[in-house]
Amino acid sequence: MKILILALSGIGDALMFTPAASLIKKHFQGCELDALVMFKGVRDIYERLPYIDNVYHFDFLSRGSQASLKFLLKLRYNYDATINVYPSNRREYNLINFLIGAKKRAAVEYLRKDKQNLGWLSNVRVTEDDNKHNVITNIKLCEKLLGKEFNEEPDLDFFLNSDDHKAAREFEAANNIQMSDFIVGIHPGCATLKNHIQRRWEPEKFAELSRRLIKENNAKVLIFGGPEEEELKKNVHKKIHSNDAIIVHTKNLAESAAIMQRCNLFVTNDSSLMHVASAMKVKTAAIIGPTNPEYIHPWKTKHIIISLNLECAPCFIYSPRPLICFREDVKFKCVKELTVDFAYNKILHFMNED
């Protein structure tokens, strides 16, 4: 059996599919399991997975419709089944799933905006459940596709190689990071498409929290982010204004993950690096505003959700619709009124639990 995973929607979503992918290969060892990815960071993850046979990397966003169609036609009728990784509630992803032409096309049936986004083009479906983590939904989808109950919930997988670990050791040596140091990683960024920048806790608050952790807890703070977040990292670093704040520069996502393993704590927005921290088994403090934490909380690592738990939350849904706040008093209050004092006290309690 030949199965193609369509991991097109981003790094965090791709990581949250790795438990399901590992179960497919574990229980169907004779199958060929390939992946089609759109982002370089996802390629970094999937190329390192021992249970993925082939990875196709194609940037549909930049290549245009004609080149994209030509590429898809090369894959057409080559697979017995395709799986749209959850979440991927966009008509473009459902069209890609359909055009590849597999007899079985697996995708989640979304509670919102499913028909408009052509979800009916898929013929193996499980219904979205607001109370289930994305990992569980992906496993349930694969169980439906393959007609087998796995009864397992594995960890996220992000395998690092010797070069990744070497880069991390060189980073630690260059920045005089000692075994006894209390290292806090922060990620002040997140996705910006569809107005998702509104999910970000303000850079000023990350900077103030970092200053307090440095001053009151003798921490060293590592500032993480993707290539598109260099200016954001520099801005936060400048506002922290301390020699104990260090910007992390790496060649790829895997090197960032290897450095992240050294962190005693990772403080982050709802972002892809939150899931990378989970895969690295790093204690994580996740700042969550409009997103449903049942969907995306850090998987199988010690964590805390820092949230105001407003009555209007969660309001973010899986669809192409831009993020919208319907409040009349303070727009995106769930993020804007989450204070540094509130976050710091939650983190102190979390770190002292051991």
Side-chain angles (χ1 to χ4, degrees):
M1 186 176 191
K2 293 182 65 176
I3 301 173
L4 181 65
I5 300 165
L6 305 178
L8 302 172
S9 53
I11 292 168
D13 298 336
L15 262 176
M16 287 187 284
F17 190 81
T18 58
S22 69
L23 289 171
I24 292 173
K25 202 65 177 226
K26 177 180 178 180
H27 292 277
F28 297 87
Q29 295 181 11
C31 79
E32 179 180 324
L33 189 61
D34 298 344
L36 172 59
V37 308
M38 187 160 58
F39 298 103
K40 184 178 180 296
V42 179
R43 186 188 69 188
D44 290 343
I45 297 167
Y46 275 49
E47 282 185 338
R48 288 168 166 80
L49 296 176
Y51 44 80
I52 299 294
D53 296 293
N54 300 288
V55 177
Y56 304 103
H57 177 218
F58 190 88
D59 188 350
F60 292 94
L61 291 174
S62 66
R63 296 294 297 277
S65 57
Q66 186 174 352
S68 296
L69 181 59
K70 185 177 180 181
F71 171 79
L72 289 172
L73 290 177
K74 293 179 181 178
L75 299 177
R76 190 165 171 82
Y77 301 132
N78 285 344
Y79 290 92
D80 301 298
T82 48
I83 307 169
N84 248 341
V85 165
Y86 176 76
S88 53
N89 190 16
R90 294 183 67 93
R91 64 179 60 198
E92 294 87 349
Y93 299 149
N94 286 317
L95 276 171
I96 289 170
N97 200 9
F98 179 74
L99 287 171
I100 291 172
K103 183 178 180 180
K104 294 183 177 181
R105 302 179 299 278
V108 167
E109 182 177 358
Y110 293 86
L111 297 175
R112 295 159 283 264
K113 307 290 184 181
D114 185 77
K115 289 183 180 179
Q116 299 94 315
N117 291 316
L118 310 183
W120 45 270
L121 288 175
S122 298
N123 56 16
V124 178
R125 314 200 71 191
V126 296
T127 303
E128 185 177 29
D129 187 335
D130 285 340
N131 297 311
K132 282 189 170 63
H133 196 280
N134 289 5
V135 168
I136 301 300
T137 300
N138 279 313
I139 291 173
K140 294 297 181 187
L141 180 61
C142 293
E143 287 179 338
K144 180 72 174 290
L145 172 67
L146 298 168
K148 181 179 179 63
E149 289 189 14
F150 296 133
N151 297 315
E152 297 176 65
E153 297 177 1
D155 296 344
L156 305 185
D157 281 336
F158 191 164
F159 292 93
L160 304 178
N161 61 35
S162 57
D163 289 339
D164 304 327
H165 290 298
K166 180 182 177 183
R169 291 194 300 270
E170 290 174 349
F171 175 86
E172 292 175 21
N175 291 283
N176 194 31
I177 293 175
Q178 306 297 318
M179 286 294 296
S180 59
D181 289 335
F182 175 46
I183 306 297
V184 178
I186 65 169
H187 182 215
C190 73
T192 59
L193 294 174
K194 299 186 297 181
N195 203 34
H196 284 194
I197 195 170
Q198 300 295 345
R199 291 193 282 119
R200 289 183 178 181
W201 205 39
E202 297 92 326
E204 295 78 10
K205 291 178 179 176
F206 270 103
E208 184 182 342
L209 175 66
S210 298
R211 288 196 300 271
R212 290 188 65 174
L213 289 166
I214 290 168
K215 181 180 178 181
E216 299 178 30
N217 303 92
N218 198 30
K220 287 186 178 180
V221 174
L222 307 185
I223 307 169
F224 288 83
E228 72 286 356
E229 294 171 340
E230 287 300 319
E231 288 304 314
L232 173 64
K233 292 192 290 183
K234 290 177 183 177
N235 181 31
V236 172
H237 183 263
K238 183 178 179 180
K239 292 179 185 298
I240 296 173
H241 193 62
S242 170
N243 292 331
D244 288 319
I246 304 163
I247 298 176
V248 176
H249 298 289
T250 59
K251 291 189 301 184
N252 55 43
L253 180 63
E255 288 187 0
S256 294
I259 294 168
M260 195 181 294
Q261 280 188 317
R262 174 59 186 84
C263 294
N264 303 100
L265 172 70
F266 195 73
V267 184
T268 177
N269 291 312
D270 165 20
S271 71
S272 60
L273 291 190
M274 177 181 76
H275 300 295
V276 174
S278 300
M280 297 298 109
K281 296 298 183 183
V282 177
K283 277 189 170 183
T284 302
I287 298 170
I288 304 294
T291 313
N292 182 353
E294 296 293 335
Y295 285 158
I296 52 83
H297 64 77
W299 180 255
K300 292 204 169 182
T301 193
K302 292 182 179 179
H303 69 273
I304 184 174
I305 301 297
I306 301 176
S307 174
L308 294 179
N309 296 312
L310 299 180
E311 73 286 349
C312 55
C315 62
F316 167 61
I317 65 172
Y318 290 140
S319 85
R321 188 197 79 181
L323 183 61
I324 301 169
C325 179
F326 296 99
R327 293 190 70 96
E328 295 182 358
D329 52 353
V330 178
K331 293 297 182 184
F332 298 102
K333 181 177 181 178
C334 54
V335 173
K336 302 301 181 187
E337 294 197 353
L338 200 158
T339 67
V340 174
D341 279 342
F342 181 83
Y344 179 72
N345 289 330
K346 289 276 189 181
I347 287 169
L348 278 190
H349 183 266
F350 175 54
M351 294 304 295
N352 289 330
E353 282 181 347
D354 288 347

